[in-house]
Amino acid sequence: MATQPGIACDIVVFGGTGDLALRKLLPALYYLHREGHLHADTRILALARRNESNQGYRHWVRRQVSQYLAPGDFSDTVWSGFAERLDYLSLDVSQRVEFPRLARQLGQQPGRVRVFYLATLPNLFAATARHLASVGLADEQARIVLEKPLGESLPTAARINDEIGEYFSESRVFRIDHYLGKEAVQNLLALRFGNALFEPLWRNAHIEHVQISVLETVGVENRGDYYDRAGAMRDMVQNHLLQLLCLVAMEAPVHFEPEAVRNEKLKILEALRPITGMDVQDVTVRGQYAAGKRAGEELPAYYFEKSVDHDSNTETFVALKVEIDNWRWAGVPFYLRTGKRLAQRKSEIIIQFKSVPHRLFAQGHETPTENRLVIRLQPDESIRLSLMAKSPGRGMTLQPVDLDLNFAKAFKKRRWDAYERLLLDVIQGDATLFMRRDEIEAAWRWIDPILTGWQDCYRSPKPYASGSWGPDAANSLVERLGHQWFETDA
Ligand code: NAP
């Protein structure tokens, strides 16, 4: 059932032949169309430089998109309705002279909502905004969606924001972080602010530490060129991990509306204790994957990957101990960890509660887990709360048991992909789950000194075997305070 297919709009996808468009955006739009969330008069226009007719593009996209839908979800009937909305225009966004053609194609329709989705490299963002404005397409009804990474440092991000801001007011800029569109991430908000149970415990008096892990088994694949310039810190920590940290740590907003939510996230980014000078060596770990083996498969070292420099110093793994200097979180370490070519693919937030002040009962477990909340974002979305319970039989020996909320089992409905939800939010003009300019810049302000510290005194990332859990130094980082990474089962 459609929720609100009320707004007729034009969705213009720049980079319409790229990986993101084919793997994520067009499948998401297909599902929104199939389930009646797009107004009958909504049109989709894909753009790229490649010379292609409408028919040729639709034919090619049909083949591509059908691979990325869940098995059994592709239907010829649905596709033919979807294809009628879909057009292609060959256009080089760096050439202003090409934009009058785009304006003609979209036509004069005052008041019509237009979503310009920039699924291209960020160095094209400013020119695209400028050229849209030059042909009158950056009007009050136009929204611009920017993909990450937005810049590679505070000055570069600020420059992009300034350039975009000349033509699009902040309320019409949607900086996307697709992690915020994930069901389990929104469930974290539901859990925290829709239940009275956790709030009294959600603070330093009761929480021992927090872990946020975004682990991948894949290497850089075809993205070597981009990745070797970015590295894990810019690619993952600056956006996804810091956004997750904000949602765990922020205060309850007064309303669930964009400015209120984003104000609270910003306060957390501003309260992050700076990591500078010698602290960079103390509380950060960078690694790079070396050769290794997984399931009998030989995996090459990072520096042998396609388009990667053989002397590359780029990190493919980062672990950090982060502190938040405010009343709620003072003294609670937040451990962040992300990397490629690791033993397991999973994204998880773990809240480890403090131990009971005095143990009455024996523990049937070597390291007592006691109360731990595990919010799993992928591969499957779930929330698990570990409690201590009596082991059956004689005596009072305790062991951990889980209260397990698996969303796929609890809700039989199809799981929405993050891009479906976020695209619908853009159409409806709801920026709650998008990043505001000051958030992005506060994140860079905190990240930049770490990158500088690495450059100044800490040049080589530590090697770790492909298929492992990362460099040993990441374990030492948490063991210093008597903690350990939770390598929970799949
Ligand atoms: P990609 O596969 O390289 O696609 C780039 C797209 O931009 C292609 O359609 C390309 O088509 C088009 N393009 C390049 N130069 C152009 C120009 N001058 N004028 C018009 N079109 C141009 O890149 P991608 O992986 O889709 O990523 C796109 C953006 O999304 C990047 O900023 C990336 O960091 C971000 N992102 C991607 C993913 C992902 O999963 N792929 C995830 C998160 C964020 P032509 O060459 O035919 O022009």
Side-chain angles (χ1 to χ4, degrees), residues 15-20 23 48-50 91-93 119-122 124 147-149:
T17 56
D19 176 69
L20 182 69
R23 228 165 26 84
R49 287 168 302 180
R50 179 205 288 207
L91 177 144
D92 183 341
V93 293
T120 53
L121 286 179
L124 295 171
E147 262 296 343
K148 68 136 212 189

Coordinates of all heavy atoms in Angstrom, one line a residue, residues 15-20 23 48-50 91-93 119-122 124 147-149, ligand 1:
G15 N 24.9 10.8 -13.4 CA 25.7 9.6 -13.2 C 24.8 8.4 -13.4 O 24.9 7.4 -12.7
G16 N 23.8 8.5 -14.3 CA 22.8 7.4 -14.5 C 23.3 6.1 -15.1 O 22.6 5.1 -15.1
T17 N 24.6 6.1 -15.5 CA 25.2 4.9 -16.0 C 26.2 4.3 -15.0 O 26.8 3.3 -15.2 CB 25.9 5.1 -17.3 OG1 27.0 6.1 -17.1 CG2 25.0 5.5 -18.4
G18 N 26.3 4.9 -13.8 CA 27.3 4.5 -12.8 C 26.8 3.4 -11.9 O 25.7 3.0 -11.9
D19 N 27.8 2.9 -11.1 CA 27.6 1.8 -10.2 C 26.4 2.1 -9.2 O 25.5 1.3 -9.0 CB 28.9 1.5 -9.5 CG 28.7 0.5 -8.5 OD1 28.5 -0.7 -8.9 OD2 28.8 0.8 -7.3
L20 N 26.5 3.3 -8.6 CA 25.5 3.6 -7.6 C 24.1 3.7 -8.2 O 23.1 3.1 -7.6 CB 25.8 5.0 -7.0 CG 24.9 5.4 -5.9 CD1 25.1 4.5 -4.6 CD2 25.2 6.9 -5.5
R23 N 23.1 0.0 -9.2 CA 23.0 -1.0 -8.1 C 22.0 -0.6 -7.0 O 21.3 -1.4 -6.4 CB 24.4 -1.2 -7.5 CG 24.8 -2.6 -7.3 CD 26.3 -2.8 -7.0 NE 26.9 -1.6 -6.4 CZ 26.9 -1.4 -5.1 NH1 26.3 -2.2 -4.2 NH2 27.6 -0.3 -4.6
A48 N 24.2 11.0 -18.3 CA 25.6 10.7 -18.3 C 26.2 11.1 -19.6 O 25.4 11.5 -20.5 CB 25.9 9.2 -18.0
R49 N 27.5 11.0 -19.8 CA 28.0 11.4 -21.1 C 27.8 10.4 -22.2 O 27.7 10.7 -23.4 CB 29.5 11.7 -21.0 CG 29.9 12.9 -20.2 CD 31.3 13.0 -19.8 NE 31.7 11.8 -19.1 CZ 32.9 11.6 -18.6 NH1 33.9 12.4 -18.9 NH2 33.2 10.5 -17.9
R50 N 27.7 9.2 -21.8 CA 27.6 8.1 -22.8 C 26.4 8.4 -23.8 O 25.4 8.8 -23.4 CB 27.3 6.8 -22.1 CG 27.1 5.6 -23.1 CD 26.3 4.5 -22.5 NE 27.1 3.9 -21.5 CZ 26.8 2.6 -21.1 NH1 25.9 1.9 -21.7 NH2 27.5 2.0 -20.2
L91 N 24.6 14.0 -21.6 CA 25.0 15.4 -21.2 C 26.3 15.4 -20.4 O 26.5 14.5 -19.5 CB 23.8 16.0 -20.4 CG 24.0 17.4 -19.9 CD1 22.6 18.1 -20.0 CD2 24.5 17.4 -18.5
D92 N 27.2 16.3 -20.7 CA 28.4 16.4 -19.9 C 28.2 17.6 -18.9 O 28.1 18.7 -19.3 CB 29.6 16.7 -20.9 CG 30.9 16.8 -20.1 OD1 30.9 17.0 -18.9 OD2 32.0 16.7 -20.8
V93 N 28.2 17.2 -17.6 CA 27.8 18.3 -16.7 C 28.8 19.4 -16.6 O 28.5 20.5 -16.0 CB 27.6 17.7 -15.3 CG1 26.3 16.8 -15.2 CG2 28.8 17.0 -14.7
A119 N 24.9 11.6 -8.5 CA 25.6 10.3 -8.3 C 26.9 10.4 -9.2 O 27.1 9.5 -10.0 CB 24.8 9.1 -8.6
T120 N 27.6 11.4 -9.0 CA 28.9 11.6 -9.8 C 30.0 11.9 -8.8 O 29.7 12.1 -7.6 CB 28.7 12.8 -10.7 OG1 28.3 13.9 -10.0 CG2 27.7 12.5 -11.8
L121 N 31.2 12.1 -9.3 CA 32.3 12.5 -8.4 C 32.1 13.9 -7.8 O 31.5 14.7 -8.5 CB 33.6 12.4 -9.2 CG 34.2 11.0 -9.5 CD1 35.5 11.1 -10.2 CD2 34.4 10.3 -8.2
P122 N 32.5 14.1 -6.6 CA 32.2 15.4 -6.0 C 32.9 16.6 -6.7 O 32.4 17.7 -6.6 CB 32.8 15.2 -4.6 CG 33.0 13.8 -4.4 CD 33.1 13.1 -5.7
L124 N 32.5 17.3 -9.5 CA 31.5 17.8 -10.5 C 30.3 18.5 -9.9 O 29.5 19.1 -10.5 CB 31.0 16.7 -11.4 CG 32.0 16.0 -12.3 CD1 31.5 14.7 -12.9 CD2 32.5 16.9 -13.4
E147 N 26.0 13.0 -2.8 CA 26.6 11.7 -2.3 C 27.8 11.9 -1.5 O 28.5 12.9 -1.7 CB 26.8 10.7 -3.5 CG 25.7 9.7 -3.7 CD 25.5 8.7 -2.6 OE1 26.4 8.6 -1.7 OE2 24.5 8.1 -2.5
K148 N 28.2 11.0 -0.6 CA 29.4 11.1 0.0 C 30.5 10.6 -0.9 O 30.2 9.8 -1.8 CB 29.4 10.3 1.3 CG 29.3 8.8 1.1 CD 30.2 8.0 1.9 CE 30.7 6.7 1.3 NZ 31.3 5.7 1.9
P149 N 31.8 10.9 -0.7 CA 32.4 11.7 0.3 C 32.3 13.2 -0.1 O 32.6 13.5 -1.2 CB 33.8 11.2 0.4 CG 34.1 10.8 -1.0 CD 32.8 10.3 -1.6
Ligands
NAP1 P1 30.9 5.5 -11.2 O1 30.4 4.1 -11.4 O2 32.3 5.9 -11.7 O3 29.8 6.4 -12.0 C1 30.1 7.8 -12.3 C2 28.9 8.3 -13.2 O4 29.2 9.6 -13.5 C3 28.8 7.5 -14.5 O5 27.5 7.4 -14.9 C4 29.5 8.5 -15.5 O6 29.1 8.3 -16.8 C5 29.1 9.8 -14.9 N1 29.9 11.0 -15.3 C6 31.3 11.1 -15.1 N2 31.7 12.3 -15.5 C7 30.6 12.9 -16.0 C8 30.4 14.2 -16.7 N3 31.4 15.0 -16.9 N4 29.2 14.5 -17.0 C9 28.1 13.6 -16.8 N5 28.3 12.4 -16.3 C10 29.5 12.1 -15.9 O7 30.7 6.0 -9.7 P2 29.7 5.5 -8.6 O8 30.3 4.3 -7.9 O9 28.4 5.3 -9.2 O10 29.7 6.7 -7.6 C11 29.1 7.9 -7.9 C12 29.2 8.8 -6.6 O11 28.5 8.2 -5.5 C13 30.6 9.0 -6.1 O12 30.7 10.3 -5.6 C14 30.8 8.0 -5.0 O13 31.8 8.3 -4.1 C15 29.4 8.0 -4.4 N6 29.0 6.7 -3.8 C16 29.0 5.6 -4.5 C17 28.6 4.4 -3.8 C18 28.6 3.1 -4.6 O14 28.1 2.1 -3.9 N7 28.9 3.0 -5.8 C19 28.3 4.4 -2.5 C20 28.3 5.6 -1.8 C21 28.7 6.8 -2.5 P3 29.9 8.7 -18.1 O15 31.3 8.3 -17.9 O16 29.2 8.0 -19.2 O17 29.7 10.2 -18.2

